[in-house]
Amino acid sequence: VADNAGLDDSDLLTYSVSPFDCDADFRVPVPAVSDNCSDAIAITFDLQIKVAVPVLDHFGHQVGTNVEWQTIREGNAGDMVRGLAISPDYRYIFTATDGCDNSSTAEVYFQVEDRIEPIPVCDGGITVTLGGGSYDLDNNVDAGGYARIMKQDLQEGISDNCGVASYHVRRAGTTVWGDMVEFSCADAGNEVEVELRVIDLSGNESLCWLNVLVEDKTKPYCVAPDDFWGYCTDLPEHFNPPATTAEYTAMSDAAKAALHAQLDDLFGASEVTDNCNNVTTYQSVTAISWHCGAGSISRKFWGVDGYGNQTPQVCVQTITIDLQHSYGFTFPADATGDCAAVIDVYDVNPQNTG
C-alpha cells in the first residue's frame, strides 16, 4: 500500500466540493495491494481529520490546544463518501488483510478544496442617460455631462456553492476594478463594454460582460437677455430693421443673420448651456413693428445640442423703442408802450419787435 505522508500541496490528493453545495462527494480509492500467498485481500479504511482539541485545567479553563486525528468515516475501499467539508487536513488509514489474517497499513493524506468558479449573470440591455454637468476639481473646470452605474445595477444574480467574497466592475480595457463605472459626454451615442468579476471565498473568480448604451437626453437651458426699453436717440443711425414681421420673414438667411448679429450687439445675446457643451444657439424675430426709427421687436431664442435635444422653455426678449421729440421755442422779449400811440398793425413785424 502506498504512503504519501510528507507530500507538498502540489502533489497532495485533492477533491473538490460539488458545484451545488459546499461539500465533497467522492469514491474512496482502492490502493494497489500485492500478497505472496493470497489473492483474497480485504482493504478497509479509516477516514480521519486533524482537529485542534482544547486543553482544560482542573477549573475548566482552556490553557492550550492539542492537535489530534479523529476518525469520522469507516468503510471499505471503493465506498462513496459524502458531505466532507473543506479542509486541508484529511487522511485515509488503509488496512489490507489477506486470507491468513496478515495485515498492513498505510496512510494517504488528502485535502478538500473549493475549485468551482462562481456564476455571475450580467444584466443585458442597459441604457444610461447623462445627467447635468460635473465639476473637475483638479482642473477647476466644468467637466460636462456625467453618469455612473453601481455594480449592483449591472448584475442579475451572482451565485456560488460556498459563498461570494466580492464582486466589482470596470470598463473593458482598463485595469482598475471598483464599485461603479462612470460615463461622460465622450461616451454619448456609444455602447461601452463593461466587465463584472466575481470572486468566491476560496479565491475562484469568473467574469461576465455586457454593453451599456450611453445616451444624452438632457435638454439645453436658455436664458434670454433682459427686455430693453429706450429712445430712438439711443440707437445708431444705421439701425434700420424691417418695418413688419412679413418683411422680416421675406428676408434672405444671410440678411436675417446680419440682423440677428446687430440685435445681439445692441440689445444682448442669449445664453444657452448644455451638459455636454455641444449646443448650437438659434434666434428669430417673432414680431416686429417699426416706423420712423421707433417701434417694438420680439425675439425668440432656443438651442439644440449635438444629440437633437432642444431647449424646452420659452426664451424671449421684447425690445421697445420710443420716439423722442426735441423741439425748442424762442420768444421775443416783453415790450411796453403808450396806448395813446397808435401803431399800425402792419408795423408789427418780427423784424421790428423781435
Side-chain angles (χ1 to χ4, degrees):
V1 179
D3 185 343
N4 68 349
L7 294 179
D8 60 31
D9 288 346
S10 62
D11 298 318
L12 194 63
L13 178 62
T14 301
Y15 301 100
S16 177
V17 297
S18 72
F20 305 109
D21 56 47
C22 204
D23 296 326
D25 300 332
F26 53 87
R27 191 173 296 278
V28 177
V30 179
V33 179
S34 62
D35 187 80
N36 294 331
C37 299
S38 174
D39 294 329
I41 301 175
I43 305 174
T44 60
F45 73 91
D46 289 348
L47 194 159
Q48 298 182 333
I49 185 173
K50 185 192 292 185
V51 295
V53 178
V55 176
L56 305 179
D57 62 17
H58 59 282
F59 297 108
H61 300 146
Q62 182 173 344
V63 294
T65 56
N66 285 332
V67 176
E68 305 180 349
W69 287 95
Q70 294 182 354
T71 299
I72 57 175
R73 300 280 197 285
E74 295 178 345
N76 297 314
D79 287 351
M80 282 294 299
V81 172
R82 301 184 184 277
L84 238 59
I86 294 174
S87 173
D89 296 315
Y90 287 106
R91 71 180 179 183
Y92 297 114
I93 298 179
F94 288 105
T95 301
T97 305
D98 63 15
C100 299
D101 289 331
N102 299 306
S103 63
S104 63
T105 62
E107 296 176 357
V108 178
Y109 292 81
F110 69 94
Q111 61 186 352
V112 173
E113 294 183 343
D114 176 16
R115 295 189 175 184
I116 306 299
E117 292 82 3
I119 302 174
V121 180
C122 285
D123 196 353
I126 290 182
T127 300
V128 61
T129 296
L130 297 171
S134 60
Y135 200 78
D136 184 349
L137 294 176
D138 295 332
N139 299 304
N140 198 32
V141 295
D142 184 355
Y146 176 81
R148 65 170 51 162
I149 294 183
M150 307 305 293
K151 63 182 183 180
Q152 57 267 29
D153 298 324
L154 296 174
Q155 59 93 10
E156 283 193 336
I158 295 174
S159 61
D160 185 76
N161 57 329
C162 292
V164 173
S166 65
Y167 70 99
H168 295 93
V169 290
R170 70 180 180 186
R171 295 169 71 109
T174 61
T175 58
V176 179
W177 296 95
D179 293 332
M180 71 187 76
V181 177
E182 298 177 317
F183 306 94
S184 68
C185 290
D187 301 312
N190 300 313
E191 286 191 337
V192 178
E193 186 176 18
V194 175
E195 298 175 335
L196 185 148
R197 180 183 68 175
V198 182
I199 301 176
D200 70 13
L201 296 173
S202 296
N204 303 302
E205 65 178 66
S206 56
L207 304 175
C208 64
W209 295 263
L210 68 152
N211 290 324
V212 176
L213 176 61
V214 182
E215 295 182 341
D216 175 19
K217 297 207 179 273
T218 302
K219 298 180 183 297
Y221 185 81
C222 175
V223 178
D226 292 336
D227 290 345
F228 183 90
W229 178 88
Y231 289 109
C232 57
T233 54
D234 298 328
L235 302 179
E237 292 183 1
H238 65 272
F239 181 66
N240 186 28
T244 64
T245 307
E247 287 185 16
Y248 169 82
T249 303
M251 294 172 64
S252 67
D253 290 342
K256 288 180 180 178
L259 174 63
H260 297 162
Q262 190 178 34
L263 294 173
D264 285 346
D265 290 339
L266 293 174
F267 308 112
S270 66
E271 295 182 6
V272 180
T273 58
D274 183 67
N275 61 331
C276 285
N277 300 319
N278 59 343
V279 65
T280 303
T281 302
Y282 300 91
Q283 66 171 289
S284 67
V285 173
T286 57
I288 184 168
S289 177
W290 199 262
H291 180 68
C292 291
S296 64
I297 302 174
S298 293
R299 306 166 69 194
K300 177 183 178 181
F301 307 89
W302 69 96
V304 180
D305 68 16
Y307 305 98
N309 303 304
Q310 182 171 323
T311 49
Q313 81 277 26
V314 176
C315 195
V316 174
Q317 180 195 39
T318 299
I319 302 165
T320 304
I321 303 297
D322 290 335
L323 290 172
Q324 187 175 47
H325 301 287
S326 300
Y327 300 114
F329 298 92
T330 302
F331 293 92
D334 294 340
T336 61
D338 189 346
C339 62
V342 179
I343 300 175
D344 190 337
V345 294
Y346 293 103
D347 292 333
V348 181
N349 188 309
Q351 293 180 350
N352 299 324
T353 63

